[in-house]
Amino acid sequence: RVKFLIFGALICSIACFFYYFAGSISFLIFLRMVDGVGFGIHSTAAGAVAADVIPKSRMMEGMGYFFLYATIAFAIAPGISLSIIGEGQIEKFKLLFILASLVALLSMVLDSCITYERRRKKSPVPTDRKAGEKVDNIAFNNIPDLSQLPNTFFGFEYVVFIPAFLVLLIYLGQSSVMSFLPLYALEFKI
C-alpha cells in the first residue's frame, strides 16, 4: 500500500511538472487525466494505510480526523492557488505548476518514510488443495469453490459498473465546476 502511495504521488508530480510545458488543450487534458489517475491512486492508498494504522477500537474517530484534514486541504488549496496566480498571468500559472509538482514530490518523500507492518493471519492450511480433499485426516472444507465466483469483465464484477459510471458522472460535473470556479471568481475580483 505504501508503494502505491509513493507511485501515486510520483505520477501527480510528473503530471504537474509537465503542465509547465503544455502548449495545447489536448495535451493539457491528457496531463489532467494522468494527474487524476495519480491522485486517485494516492488518495485511495492513503485511506487504506490510515485504516491499517488506526486501532480498531478508535476506527471511526481516526477516519473522521483523516477525512477532516482532507476536507480542510480541499477548502484551503483553491485560496492558496488564487493568491499565487494573482491576475492570471501565464508566468504565475507556471509558478503554480512548479509549486504543485514540488508539493507532490514532498508528499512522495514523506510517504516513503511510512513504515508499518500489516498483521496478517497466516493460514495454517495450504491453499493448493481442493475443497473436500483429505490429506493426513485433515478435510479442506474451508477452501472456496472457484466455480461459484460471480462472472467478471476484466476482473471486475458486473455490479460494479453502474456505481462506477455514476461516480464518473458526478466527478465530471464537479471537476468542471471546480476547474472554472477560480476563473469565475477572478472575473468579479472576489
Side-chain angles (χ1 to χ4, degrees), residues 11-83:
I11 291 174
C12 287
S13 178
I14 290 170
C16 288
F17 178 74
F18 280 107
Y19 283 145
Y20 187 90
F21 302 105
S24 68
I25 293 295
S26 58
F27 186 55
L28 196 60
I29 290 172
F30 170 74
L31 286 175
R32 181 63 190 105
M33 289 180 359
V34 171
D35 191 19
V37 167
F39 180 77
I41 292 170
H42 189 271
S43 60
T44 304
V49 168
D52 284 344
V53 172
I54 296 170
K56 299 297 178 211
S57 61
R58 301 183 70 185
M59 182 62 73
M60 296 301 289
E61 178 185 0
M63 292 307 286
Y65 281 123
F66 175 77
F67 287 113
L68 171 71
Y69 288 116
T71 304
I72 290 171
F74 280 123
I76 293 174
I80 294 172
S81 39
L82 279 175
S83 68

Side-chain angles (χ1 to χ4, degrees), residues 102-143:
L102 291 175
V103 166
L105 272 177
L106 177 64
S107 174
M108 188 178 73
V109 169
L110 293 176
D111 291 341
S112 65
C113 296
I114 296 173
T115 58
Y116 76 96
E117 292 182 20
R118 287 188 66 212
R119 290 167 184 83
R120 296 183 186 190
K121 292 182 180 178
K122 302 251 180 184
S123 174
V125 179
T127 57
D128 59 344
R129 304 288 183 199
K130 294 181 182 175
E133 181 182 344
K134 287 190 175 185
V135 176
D136 297 332
N137 296 325
I138 299 174
F140 293 94
N141 292 327
N142 60 348
I143 298 174

Side-chain angles (χ1 to χ4, degrees), residues 168-187:
L168 174 74
L169 289 178
I170 289 168
Y171 282 119
L172 275 174
Q174 181 187 9
S175 65
S176 322
V177 171
M178 294 302 288
S179 297
F180 294 105
L181 194 61
L183 297 174
Y184 184 72
L186 279 176
E187 281 293 316

